[in-house]
Structures are given as structure tokens and as C-alpha cells.
Amino acid sequence: MDRLKITGGRALNGSVAIAGAKNASLPQIAAAILSPEPLTLTNLPAVTDIATMLDVVARHGVAVTRLSDHAVTLDAGRADPVETGYDTVRRMRATVLLLGPVMGRFGRARVSLPGGCAIGARPVDLHLKALASLGATIDIEGGMIVGEAPGGLKGARIVFGSPSVGATETAMMAATMAAGETEIVNAAREPEVVDLAACLIGMGARIEGAGTHRLLIAGGTHWKTARHDVIPDRIEAGTYAIAAAITGGTLELSHARLEHLSAIAQVLEAVGVSIWPGDRGLMVSACGPLRGVDITTEPYPGFPTDLQAQFMALMCRAEGASMIRETVFENRFMHAPELMRLGANITLQGTSALVRGGAPLRGAQVMATDLRASVCLVLAALAAEGETIINRVYHLDRGYEQLDLKLRRCGALIERLKD
Ligand code: EPZ
């Protein structure tokens, strides 16, 4: 397994190209199964999760034509509802997003329950509730979700008790093929949900209200050949913004969209970081002292849970204390003990972490546990004195395209050690 060797203490300066959003690309690849007409996706990030999802849809009979490292044409004209097994879903939980499109297109689906993951139990009950509302019968047989809708799905009113990105996407995709109109109440508002709606509309679907808590989806879609350009990855952009802040440097984040980053931008300004629109994206600069700021993670447009670990690393370098509350997932502080190995002063109390900044970070051996925790350790290592070795960087490659190369180009002393 590859490792990263980082020697900290260098301010990052330069330009970083922000790739397409992983979490927008994944449902859009799954959505291709809905339509017998080709869908071309551009600006896909070249990360392993995308390759995994493309493999999975190919196993469903979708013809995958790679146009470049960042573009693909998906032709589901001859797709079929094969089972998505436990090994696949264990490998990448997001393959559960196949459930909606396969149910919508074929009226039956067999997809493994995902089981838990490093950041929490991550149930899929809201996905199943949405499909049941649309008239499907859902059974669990031997760890498999078995969905049946022999007469097809029927439009319905789906009310989510709490917003869920994935469940909103499942409901929206399935509803495009239901008979009649579907209303989704308390829908997730993330930009990735909005981009999926835009992709589906480009394919011929009729969807209103994307980006609000209430969606209206017409059923019985007549699909057409489509092409969609995936939005830039706001979490990658936020990660590099924090990289500039934690090293006291200045970065240009080309293609980044400030409107997708308002919560993190406000917090970083309060920390003492300057952010402004540049010619090709966002400029981020940190030259003065960093102040401790409290945050609570929330569904969009609140502070994103996917930037919580990265922000915790930053707060280790701030003067003063920061209280970090994680309200989206129940076990998303796995990075804290690893940060403590670098000398961070963090006290965990349930869903809150108190970070006392100011202590110097010193390089050590650390272990990555999930995608965002691993990039948090990279950020801390960039600011630590001496050398840090980060193990299990395959987590990083799932969601960050050429992270070590991008950082090296901005002055970081970072090397990938191939096992
Ligand atoms: C998506 O996961 C993202 N993944 C996650 O990014 C992100 O952290 C999360 O949204 C929140 O923004 C993709 O888009 C592929 P949720 P998702 O359903 O859809 C609970 C990353 O690092 N819940 O909005 O699974 C759930 O346990 C990943 O890129 C249920 O209880 O998130 C969580 O507590 C990590 N039942 C909360 O809702 C359900 O049926 C929000 O989860 C579904 C979710």
C-alpha cells in the first residue's frame, strides 16, 4: 500500500485546478441506467471511486466509452438489472445509488445492504422508504435489498424526516420513471443534488425545485441523448483553501465556485483568512495569525461535514480554542487521535471536539482511516515540523485527483512512497 512522506513548514503558493465533483459524478453515472439513449459526462474527476462506479454500471450491461481521463459516454440501451453484490457495495457504499435507477427502469432490483463504514452506521432506510412510497415492495433477503414493482412505480408524495443527499437522489431518479407526478418534501439541497437534477433534465426529465426543500418530478420521462458537464468539487476546493490557510500561503483555486463554498468562506474569514474571486476561480491567502472559531456541521448550505476533519487540522494551528460539533455522522472524529500523534491538543466529548490550538505540530507516522480523515492528516503534516509518514493513502486516491502532484507544484515537500 502506498504511503506519503511529507516534510512540513513550507508555505504553499501557486495555482490548483479543482476537478469535477466526485459526489455529483457518482449519482450521474448511476442515472445513465435510467435511459436507453447515450449520456456523455464531462469534467469527471480521475479518482478511483469514479472508476469503481463505471465498472459497476458496465456489469449492468452499460456500454462505457472512455473519451478521455475526464469524459465518458454511457449507453444503457442494453442494460439489465443484475444484482449488485455485497463485495461491490462494501467496496464503495455509493453503489447503493444504483437502486433508484434500476427500480425505475426495470421495476425490480437486487442491491446489497451496505453495512456500516468508518464514519458511522449509514443506514439506507430513507432510500427504501422513498421507493416504498413510490409503490415498490422492499424485502431484505440474506443481506440483499430486493425491490419489486411489477406494475411499475407510481408517483407519490415523499416526506423525509431529515434531509439525506443519497435518499433524495434515489427518490428523484426513481420518480422520473414513475406513473404520475412525485413531490419530495424536505429534500437535500446540496449542489450535487442540484447538478444531478440538471443532468436528468438534460436527459429529458422534468424536475422543479432543485436546490430547495421541495422537488416536483414528472413521471414517464421520454429520454433523449444528453451531454452534461459535472460541477467543480466544492469539497476539494475547500480542502485546498484550508491547505493555503494552514501553511500561511496563497493559492488560486481555478474553477472553484464561491457560491458553493459560502459557509466555509465565512468561517475562514473569521479565522483570519482572506478569500476573494480571482480571474479563474478563487483566491485564498493567509498571512496573519489564525484565530480559533467554533463550527457545527450541518446539511447544505451549512458547514459541510466533509470539511470537518480538514478544519480540525487548521484549528490545531490557530491561537485559542475551537469547539467542533459534528451533527451529520455519529463517528466522524477518527482523525482526532491521529492528529494527537502529531502533537495536537484535542478533547473529544460525544459529538463535540474541543481543539486547543497553538501547540506546534511535529511529524510522526500516522494512519488514514477514510477519505476526509486522510486529507486532514496531509494538511496537518504540511504544517508540522519535520517528517510525517501517512499510511493507507488509497483512501486519498478515492476522492482527490493527483493530490501529491498538485501540492508539490505549489511548493510542498511531499513524496509518494510506492510499496
Ligand atoms: C453523501 O453521503 C456524500 N456521499 C457524503 O460524502 C457526505 O458526507 C454526505 O452526503 C453528507 O453531505 C456521496 O454523495 C457519495 P446522507 P450520504 O444520506 O448520501 C443518515 C465523502 O467523504 N441517513 O445525506 O450517504 C446518515 O447516516 C462522503 O465524499 C439515514 O439515517 O449522506 C447520516 O447520518 C462521506 N438513513 C445523515 O443521514 C438513510 O437512508 C446524512 O446522510 C440515509 C442517510
Side-chain angles (χ1 to χ4, degrees), residues 102-330:
V102 174
M103 279 302 295
R105 172 87 180 269
F106 302 107
R108 57 194 170 90
R110 288 175 65 85
V111 177
S112 170
L113 277 169
C117 79
I119 62 178
R122 299 187 74 182
V124 290
D125 58 312
L126 298 179
H127 298 245
L128 305 185
K129 174 179 179 288
L131 292 172
S133 300
L134 293 168
T137 56
I138 303 286
D139 294 306
I140 306 297
E141 294 170 13
M144 296 296 293
I145 302 163
V146 180
E148 294 283 348
L153 299 175
K154 292 174 183 53
R157 184 167 192 265
I158 300 169
V159 182
F160 286 122
S162 56
S164 156
V165 170
T168 301
E169 293 169 343
T170 290
M172 185 160 62
M173 290 189 283
T176 60
M177 289 300 280
E181 184 173 75
T182 294
E183 178 189 17
I184 299 175
V185 179
N186 206 6
R189 298 163 56 193
E190 275 69 3
E192 294 75 27
V193 175
V194 175
D195 202 45
L196 173 62
C199 177
L200 290 166
I201 290 166
M203 294 163 68
R206 285 164 290 149
I207 299 171
E208 293 171 27
T212 73
H213 278 314
R214 182 172 177 269
L215 300 177
L216 283 177
I217 301 108
T221 301
H222 297 293
W223 301 104
K224 60 187 181 182
T225 301
R227 183 183 185 88
H228 182 74
D229 198 52
V230 175
I231 54 170
D233 193 319
R234 62 192 170 102
I235 303 303
E236 184 191 23
T239 301
Y240 283 104
I242 293 172
I246 203 170
T247 60
T250 300
L251 290 179
E252 176 192 60
L253 309 180
S254 57
H255 315 309
R257 292 190 193 167
L258 187 54
E259 72 268 25
H260 291 164
L261 289 156
S262 49
I264 176 76
Q266 280 171 16
V267 167
L268 288 180
E269 294 275 3
V271 168
V273 179
S274 303
I275 296 185
W276 67 95
D279 298 340
R280 295 181 297 174
L282 273 186
M283 297 300 299
V284 183
S285 183
C287 35
L290 302 174
R291 292 183 289 271
V293 171
D294 298 346
I295 62 155
T296 298
T297 64
E298 292 170 313
Y300 193 86
F303 190 100
T305 176
D306 290 350
L307 283 172
Q308 178 260 106
Q310 298 91 315
F311 186 75
M312 188 182 287
L314 180 64
M315 289 296 95
C316 297
R317 298 297 302 129
E319 291 168 6
S322 162
M323 179 65 83
I324 295 175
R325 283 188 62 236
E326 172 57 61
T327 70
V328 178
F329 290 108
E330 68 267 25

